[in-house]
Structures are given as C-alpha cells and as structure tokens.
Amino acid sequence: LAFQVKGPGIGLLGFSLGADICLSMASYLKNISATVSINGSGFSGNKPIQYKQTCIPPLNHDFRRLKVAFSGLLDIVDIRNDVIGRHENPSMIPIEKAQGPILFIVGQDDHNWRSELYAQIASERLQAHGKEKPQILSYPGTGHNIEPPYFPLCPASVHKLLNKPIMWGGEPRAHARAQEDSWKQILTFFCKHLGGTQNIASPKL
C-alpha cells in the first residue's frame, strides 16, 4: 500500500468515541479538510464536550434499558437516552461548522449504539444548515468494530463503562467484506479531498 497526501489540509479518521473526537475537532479547529467517522455518534455521550467557552451537554444513558442476549452477553444498543429533537438536539456536535466534507461509515448490526440512525441525523443537520448531503456508507451484517482489512471480527469484549462483556455485533463474512470495502473508500475519500495520489497494491498474506 502506498498512500500520499500533501498539505496544507489535514485529514481525520476516527472510530467510535474517537470518531466523535474527530467530528469535534473538525467542527472547532481550522485546516481540517476531510473527516472520516467510523461508527461515531455525532453526540456528546457520557461526558460534556468542552472547547474554550463552549460546552456541549451529554446525552447520558439509562441502564434500565440494558438487554441480555441469549449468549449471556449484554446488549447496550438502547441504553443511550432518546435523541429528542434529532438534528436540533443540544447534545449534538455542531458538525455544520466543519470546513471539509465528512464521510460516515456505519455498521447496520452495530450493538454499541445506533450508528446508522446517528449518521442519518448528522446528514439532516448538515443539510438543514445549507451543507451538501454527506456520503454515508452503510454495511449490512457489520458490527461496531470496523477495522482495516483482515483484522478478525471482535464480536464481544469487556466494556470499560460497565466492566462486563458486551456484544458489538457483526456477522464474520459480511463484516470482513465491509472492512475491505470501507478501507478502499477511505483511501479514495482522502485522496480526493487532501490532494494526494493513490496506488493500492494487491494485498499479500
């Protein structure tokens, strides 16, 4: 794999909470030319997001909505408080302030939170503020942990917040295909918006 970009713009790539950090950076910092959000939420989750004098309140969660799967793993997809007001919710990151385009990558079988719904709400917000409709890549049978190609599926692990094993979702074949396709899409997106050149060699294992 050979991948080059040239300034002065910066590209950001984040996953889950890291994606929300990237969206926050793109919203408040200069020279962010392109951002990729992999299964991010676009909301301030468990803690407020603070930048200078700005404070975005958290959505918070309700553990009474925890579910236990047949496997015994916890399913936390519903524990976040309802997204009242959708794109006008005060807990949403002001992504309309981002200078560059945003690519949303979501797994339809994400059991951490409702990534596909959040990407749709983000699209609503951008368009409500006169921005172009963003690109959303939505993958069926794909869970929360969308990693680079050939990383094995992680269907469950211990969640730091709960200190208990939870399910992340994903069907092995579909998830693997999504990781391979999304990686190509990410490279294409960054090359287009950061002015680089792309040369993808055939992978060798």
Side-chain angles (χ1 to χ4, degrees):
L1 172 67
F3 184 49
Q4 273 188 321
V5 296
K6 55 185 177 180
I10 298 170
L12 300 176
L13 169 64
F15 154 71
S16 191
L17 177 58
D20 292 337
I21 293 172
C22 287
L23 291 173
S24 298
M25 292 174 65
S27 300
Y28 291 114
L29 304 180
K30 296 180 179 179
N31 297 323
I32 307 297
S33 298
T35 304
V36 177
S37 168
I38 301 176
N39 281 333
S41 72
F43 287 85
S44 177
N46 300 324
K47 296 181 180 180
I49 295 175
Q50 293 182 316
Y51 178 73
K52 295 184 177 179
Q53 304 303 315
T54 301
C55 181
I56 304 174
L59 276 178
N60 287 317
H61 48 261
D62 185 347
F63 288 125
R64 292 175 296 180
R65 292 195 290 266
L66 272 173
K67 294 180 288 186
V68 181
F70 180 76
S71 62
L73 295 170
L74 296 181
D75 186 346
I76 65 171
V77 71
D78 291 325
I79 69 169
R80 278 190 156 194
N81 289 334
D82 293 338
V83 186
I84 299 171
R86 293 184 70 92
H87 68 273
E88 296 180 350
N89 189 292
S91 293
M92 192 167 190
I93 298 167
I95 54 174
E96 70 278 2
K97 296 181 179 180
Q99 296 178 349
I102 303 171
L103 169 62
F104 295 93
I105 296 175
V106 299
Q108 293 182 3
D109 192 39
D110 186 349
H111 280 263
N112 182 64
W113 52 44
R114 300 193 181 280
S115 296
E116 188 172 34
L117 172 63
Y118 291 154
Q120 293 169 358
I121 293 174
S123 179
E124 291 174 7
R125 184 177 182 107
L126 289 170
Q127 292 178 81
H129 286 84
K131 301 283 187 172
E132 290 187 8
K133 184 177 181 180
Q135 183 180 6
I136 300 175
L137 300 177
S138 186
Y139 294 98
T142 304
H144 188 64
N145 298 317
I146 302 177
E147 297 179 296
Y150 316 123
F151 273 67
L153 169 65
C154 176
S157 67
V158 175
H159 194 284
K160 184 178 180 181
L161 180 64
L162 299 173
N163 198 31
K164 293 182 179 180
I166 70 157
M167 58 192 301
W168 297 111
E171 185 276 323
R173 185 181 296 273
H175 194 96
R177 288 176 175 170
Q179 290 188 164
E180 191 170 10
D181 183 74
S182 63
W183 185 248
K184 295 175 183 177
Q185 299 283 356
I186 289 168
L187 296 181
T188 299
F189 177 78
F190 278 142
C191 285
K192 177 181 179 180
H193 297 291
L194 298 178
T197 57
Q198 183 177 0
N199 179 20
I200 302 178
S202 298
K204 296 179 181 180
L205 294 179

